[in-house]
Amino acid sequence: PAEGSAKKPTKNVIRVFNDWVGEAAKELKIRLSNVNIKAENAGQKAAMDVSGDGTTKVELDGQNVLDSYKTQHPAGYRAGLRKQGEGTLIITDETNDTGKEITTPKSESDTSGSLTAKGAGGNGAAGIGGNVAEGTKNITIEGYATVHAAGGGSGAGIGGGGIYGDTQSGDAENIIIQGYATVDAKGSGSAAGIGGGGNGGNAENIIIRGHSKVKATACDGAAIGGGSAGWGSYYGGSAKGIVICD
């Protein structure tokens, strides 16, 4: 099988730096089509990394995997899909695998347009969001995208990474799930499913709306909200601006 396919993941990672801002700025559009990345420990990089102040839209075709689970000490604890900077990351599925616009909800057996993102274990990183001790902001999942995001260690499924040494665990801000998106987010340890990292990460402006379907679970943290106090911490994370509506 070809490298990067379902049966043979590649170690080559994707790194996007988008500072396309200003009046003439447009969305930077990226298409993932049956991508399978297993980040190696020695690489010290997330399977996919999006940063900068511009808007980046990722279209999902087929089944995609961004797996950073083994990126542990001493290389660093990396998110499956790391999001940093003031820009907006949009994850969507607007067209089918042949390029035609999707106009009706997909059947449950339709696995196209999906993304599985896994964060590192150990102290922990988010499935989608921050590496260890990093927060994240401005992530939108929409269209007909199907997303499975699992934090490792004490990382959120979608949101902040876990605490490391004397550093603060990661916060999550402006996470929106809308349209007909389907999301399954699993926090690990004391992290939230969607929101703050373990040991006190905060959450602000988490919005779920439209026809989206969301399953958020956690071990000790909130399903949606802040990370719990966890070991060695007296205070859990705060949560405000949590909105769930039609």
Side-chain angles (χ1 to χ4, degrees):
E3 184 176 358
S5 64
K7 294 183 179 180
K8 188 179 181 182
T10 182
K11 296 179 181 179
N12 296 320
V13 300
I14 300 171
R15 188 171 185 181
V16 179
F17 182 78
N18 177 16
D19 255 349
W20 197 1
V21 296
E23 294 182 0
K26 299 180 180 179
E27 293 175 338
L28 175 63
K29 296 183 179 181
I30 297 172
R31 184 181 299 271
L32 298 183
S33 181
N34 293 305
V35 169
N36 185 4
I37 297 174
K38 177 68 174 176
E40 60 179 342
N41 196 41
Q44 301 190 37
K45 296 176 182 177
M48 184 171 180
D49 191 314
V50 177
S51 61
D53 295 338
T55 298
T56 301
K57 177 179 279 190
V58 177
E59 163 73 21
L60 302 175
D61 287 344
Q63 301 174 48
N64 302 277
V65 177
L66 299 173
D67 185 356
S68 299
Y69 183 72
K70 292 295 184 179
T71 55
Q72 300 180 20
H73 184 77
Y77 307 92
R78 308 293 173 177
L81 171 47
R82 179 177 182 251
K83 163 63 176 69
Q84 294 292 289
E86 298 295 324
T88 298
L89 169 63
I90 301 170
I91 302 170
T92 188
D93 182 23
E94 298 176 345
T95 59
N96 63 23
D97 294 354
T98 63
K100 294 182 179 179
E101 182 181 1
I102 302 172
T103 57
T104 58
K106 295 183 289 187
S107 67
E108 292 185 2
S109 61
D110 188 350
T111 58
S112 65
S114 68
L115 170 64
T116 298
K118 301 178 182 179
N123 287 68
I128 300 174
N131 290 341
V132 67
E134 283 185 343
T136 194
K137 61 174 62 174
N138 304 335
I139 298 172
T140 299
I141 302 173
E142 62 182 22
Y144 296 86
T146 300
V147 173
H148 305 275
S154 55
I158 302 173
I163 196 169
Y164 182 72
D166 295 330
T167 62
Q168 176 65 37
S169 54
D171 299 335
E173 182 180 352
N174 299 335
I175 311 295
I176 300 173
I177 303 172
Q178 60 188 6
Y180 287 86
T182 299
V183 173
D184 182 3
K186 297 179 180 179
S188 183
S190 55
I194 302 174
N199 289 57
N202 304 306
E204 183 175 357
N205 296 339
I206 312 296
I207 300 172
I208 299 170
R209 61 192 178 195
H211 301 277
S212 58
K213 298 178 181 179
V214 177
K215 178 181 179 181
T217 56
C219 295
D220 297 324
I224 301 174
S228 72
W231 180 84
S233 176
Y234 294 102
Y235 303 103
S238 66
K240 61 181 180 180
I242 310 299
V243 178
I244 302 175
C245 62
D246 292 332

